[in-house]
Amino acid sequence: MELITKTLFLCLALALTNGAPTHPQDETVEDGAPLPDRCEGIEFDAITPDEEGKMFFFKGAHLWKGFHGPAQLSNESFKELDDIHHIGHVDAAFRMHNTENTDVHEHIYFFLDDKVFRYYNHTLEAGYPKEIQEDFPGVPTHLDAAVECPKGECITDSVLFFKGHDVHLYDIATKTVKTKTWSHLPVCTSVLRWLEHHYCFHGHNFTRFNPLTGEVNGTYPKDARNYFMKCPNFGHGHHYKVLNCSDVKLDAITSDDAGKKYLFAGRIYMRLDTHRDGLHAFPITNVWKNMTRGVDAVFSYTDKIYVIKDDQVYIYKAATRSTLTEGYPKTLKEELGIEGHVDAAFLCPNEHTVYIIQGQRIRDVDLTATPRVVTRDLPLPLSDIDAAMCNSGGVNLFKGSQYYHYESAATLILSRIAPMPQKITSAMLGCQD
Ligand SMILES: *[C@@H]1O[C@H](CO)[C@@H](O)[C@H](O)[C@H]1NC(C)=O
Ligand SMILES: *[C@@H]1O[C@H](CO)[C@@H](O)[C@H](O)[C@H]1NC(C)=O
Ligand SMILES: *[C@@H]1O[C@H](CO)[C@@H](O)[C@H](O)[C@H]1NC(C)=O
Ligand SMILES: *[C@@H]1O[C@H](CO)[C@@H](O)[C@H](O)[C@H]1NC(C)=O
Ligand SMILES: *[C@@H]1O[C@H](CO)[C@@H](O)[C@H](O)[C@H]1NC(C)=O
Ligand SMILES: *[C@@H]1O[C@H](CO)[C@@H](O)[C@H](O)[C@H]1NC(C)=O
């Protein structure tokens, strides 16, 4: 992975240039003692997101909010952890995922010795702290780490509790515990689930593991400073500042078969279905290796993602570790029977016709036909469309910071007058209103 330069994503500056600490002596000093600097290599006590997806890293009496910025006292954010229990650090923490029980959904649990504290909206809830046994019968005290594990990743909605090499798999619905020993995994001092993956933190390193089997694939450990925080001389430019909605300019947008939504702009893509973990921009080349100059249009068909750049079509398997299909790229003419610059393209769920927007024309191509040819070519009462997407809610055509909404592809095709443009909102694209 390469260092991404500042010319990317809609002028999003790297967080590095924006208030990340450089040296501990630059930071606020409390009682004459410098605050800890996570760039020096910290072994965290606990890491958890809050209900808004903001990440909290804990060490001793301090915490860090988000992926960059200086340390602060944890008692300023979670007052009672210190007041009630003069412990000076937390053992473990996790955010409860979607469960049927809305009383606990997105609440944060902290574990200190034999006690559990439950927070929502950064406020300790009535009745807490409790004995761990009261909320999580069968789970040991003095934990090392805890993490959510939703159904699909674990067999049932579960929480994994770590102590030494033992992992206590707690089934939320049945309140039963199964214990496994994963001796091959380092002893995790904190565990984080982020963007559907599980990470065990140990020392200043982390190791990604499969939450069901404990299996580790790939080259680990890796240095956490390269991925989970912004440090001088570390990292690959993973974290970008959130963009104002009024400055949005997309290149493409699509949703794959699994319902995962991707937005493309410049050299950057963002997953839109992961608001809960915060929105994060990544280099397009992390997933779609050949797209080094960005994309013009992207659409999804069956289990594949079609990426168009200039007169070339690249077809990738939709899975995250995307591989280019053999024999690609092919020309637009060869693959889709069209020529010229493509502004946007979309396909509606369970359909076989891709709609290609080129200037003021919208062209249909039947993907089941061989060879592929334009089956319908109609004028569009709009021009300079950047990106388009169709899902069960209808079709949206994006143009700068605005979009045009149609109930369906059929209404779009039939309409001779453009609907009123609407402003892109934070809820749609995760930009700042
Ligand atoms: C937080 O802890 C520090 C150091 O232990 C203490 O000086 C400060 O008064 C505490 N602040 C609050 C809000 O409890
Ligand atoms: C969260 O807490 C703040 C004050 O700390 C309060 O103003 C706000 O209404 C609370 N929000 C919810 C959803 O409870
Ligand atoms: C971190 O991982 C590197 C290998 O990537 C290893 O050489 C180093 O000893 C590890 N350090 C700690 C503190 O675990
Ligand atoms: C690990 O890699 C093996 C072989 O490549 C693969 O079969 C397995 O599904 C992978 N497991 C995970 C958790 O990615
Ligand atoms: C976003 O808008 C706000 C207020 O309109 C402005 O202060 C801020 O500088 C803008 N941010 C960017 C990245 O343009
Ligand atoms: C696409 O990228 C892969 C991985 O970097 C590379 O092996 C392959 O040669 C590239 N293909 C083309 C056609 O550029």
Side-chain angles (χ1 to χ4, degrees):
M1 274 176 274
E2 82 249 55
L3 186 74
I4 301 308
T5 58
K6 63 181 186 297
T7 53
L8 307 178
F9 198 32
L10 322 148
C11 313
L12 295 194
L14 281 178
L16 183 57
T17 60
N18 249 299
T22 44
H23 303 290
Q25 60 266 31
D26 293 344
E27 296 171 7
T28 337
V29 166
E30 133 233 348
D31 299 338
L35 290 172
D37 177 5
R38 57 178 154 177
C39 290
E40 287 184 347
I42 296 249
E43 179 167 83
F44 296 105
D45 295 331
I47 307 174
T48 184
D50 70 2
E51 61 276 0
E52 290 174 348
K54 190 169 200 88
M55 205 63 77
F56 286 82
F57 297 79
F58 294 85
K59 176 67 178 180
H62 293 95
L63 62 72
W64 289 261
K65 287 185 193 175
F67 294 96
H68 66 103
Q72 45 190 273
L73 284 164
S74 356
N75 63 2
E76 289 166 8
S77 298
F78 300 98
K79 190 168 175 302
E80 301 81 359
L81 291 181
D82 215 31
D83 274 9
I84 301 179
H85 212 75
H86 296 281
I87 183 116
H89 78 278
V90 297
D91 292 332
F94 78 96
R95 179 183 63 181
M96 183 63 91
H97 45 282
N98 288 307
T99 65
E100 320 258 294
N101 183 353
T102 50
D103 288 349
V104 299
H105 174 56
E106 311 274 88
H107 292 221
I108 309 179
Y109 289 81
F110 291 99
F111 299 84
L112 286 78
D113 291 348
D114 56 350
K115 297 282 191 297
V116 54
F117 292 67
R118 195 173 86 193
Y119 277 81
Y120 189 65
N121 192 23
H122 294 236
T123 307
L124 184 70
E125 293 185 87
Y128 286 85
K130 288 183 183 173
E131 302 286 320
I132 293 176
Q133 288 299 314
E134 287 182 58
D135 266 8
F136 301 98
V139 170
T141 62
H142 299 86
L143 292 162
D144 287 329
V147 71
E148 60 174 314
C149 188
K151 188 175 175 178
E153 293 167 27
C154 282
I155 292 166
T156 57
D157 276 318
S158 308
V159 183
L160 301 180
F161 293 98
F162 292 75
K163 183 167 179 171
H165 285 292
D166 287 346
V167 181
H168 306 273
L169 178 66
Y170 180 85
D171 182 310
I172 294 167
T174 63
K175 295 192 169 235
T176 52
V177 179
K178 269 189 216 139
T179 302
K180 305 178 185 183
T181 304
W182 289 343
S183 309
H184 65 283
L185 206 64
V187 170
C188 313
T189 63
S190 52
V191 176
L192 173 67
R193 174 180 178 270
W194 190 60
L195 301 176
E196 297 170 15
H197 292 308
H198 285 79
Y199 301 94
C200 158
F201 287 74
H202 47 98
H204 55 72
N205 288 336
F206 70 92
T207 296
R208 188 177 131 193
F209 65 96
N210 179 319
L212 203 54
T213 60
E215 183 186 15
V216 176
N217 262 4
T219 336
Y220 291 100
K222 290 189 162 114
D223 196 313
R225 289 170 291 185
N226 283 325
Y227 298 86
F228 290 93
M229 55 210 75
K230 205 69 223 169
C231 294
N233 307 321
F234 285 96
H236 314 298
H238 279 193
H239 309 297
Y240 297 82
K241 299 229 17 128
V242 174
L243 179 81
N244 284 340
C245 289
S246 58
D247 295 337
V248 167
K249 181 148 178 69
L250 301 180
D251 289 329
I253 187 166
T254 193
S255 155
D256 72 10
D257 266 19
K260 292 175 182 171
K261 280 195 222 163
Y262 302 87
L263 160 172
F264 299 80
R267 307 284 165 87
I268 294 298
Y269 84 92
M270 230 190 237
R271 276 267 304 277
L272 294 177
D273 54 310
T274 49
H275 281 233
R276 207 176 155 256
D277 289 347
L279 284 161
H280 301 275
F282 297 96
I284 290 173
T285 50
N286 274 12
V287 177
W288 300 282
K289 296 264 182 282
N290 309 81
M291 310 316 298
T292 52
R293 295 179 304 110
V295 306
D296 290 339
V298 178
F299 65 90
S300 310
Y301 178 55
T302 60
D303 58 347
K304 299 185 187 69
I305 289 191
Y306 287 60
V307 185
I308 299 172
K309 178 65 182 172
D310 300 330
D311 67 341
Q312 303 284 311
V313 183
Y314 298 75
I315 301 185
Y316 286 92
K317 298 218 176 74
T320 350
R321 286 276 154 236
S322 247
T323 44
L324 184 62
T325 302
E326 197 157 330
Y328 286 85
K330 289 185 179 169
T331 63
L332 274 173
K333 182 80 190 153
E334 230 182 320
E335 183 64 28
L336 298 172
I338 54 170
E339 285 177 289
H341 178 78
V342 174
D343 290 324
F346 69 90
L347 198 87
C348 296
N350 307 317
E351 287 192 8
H352 302 283
T353 299
V354 60
Y355 299 89
I356 310 266
I357 298 174
Q358 298 184 280
Q360 285 184 272
R361 309 294 302 181
I362 181 161
R363 303 190 159 108
D364 300 9
V365 175
D366 178 357
L367 293 174
T368 60
T370 332
R372 289 174 180 153
V373 289
V374 173
T375 49
R376 185 161 55 175
D377 183 342
L378 292 171
L380 187 70
L382 288 165
S383 61
D384 303 314
I385 294 301
D386 295 327
M389 195 173 92
C390 177
N391 59 22
S392 53
V395 179
N396 287 334
L397 303 186
F398 295 87
K399 178 172 173 172
S401 61
Q402 296 187 319
Y403 71 98
Y404 300 87
H405 178 76
Y406 297 87
E407 269 171 34
S408 65
T411 18
L412 163 60
I413 293 294
L414 294 174
S415 73
R416 291 288 152 262
I417 301 166
M420 286 293 288
Q422 302 176 55
K423 283 201 174 103
I424 288 172
T425 63
S426 145
M428 285 177 86
L429 298 188
C431 48
Q432 217 157 40
D433 277 324

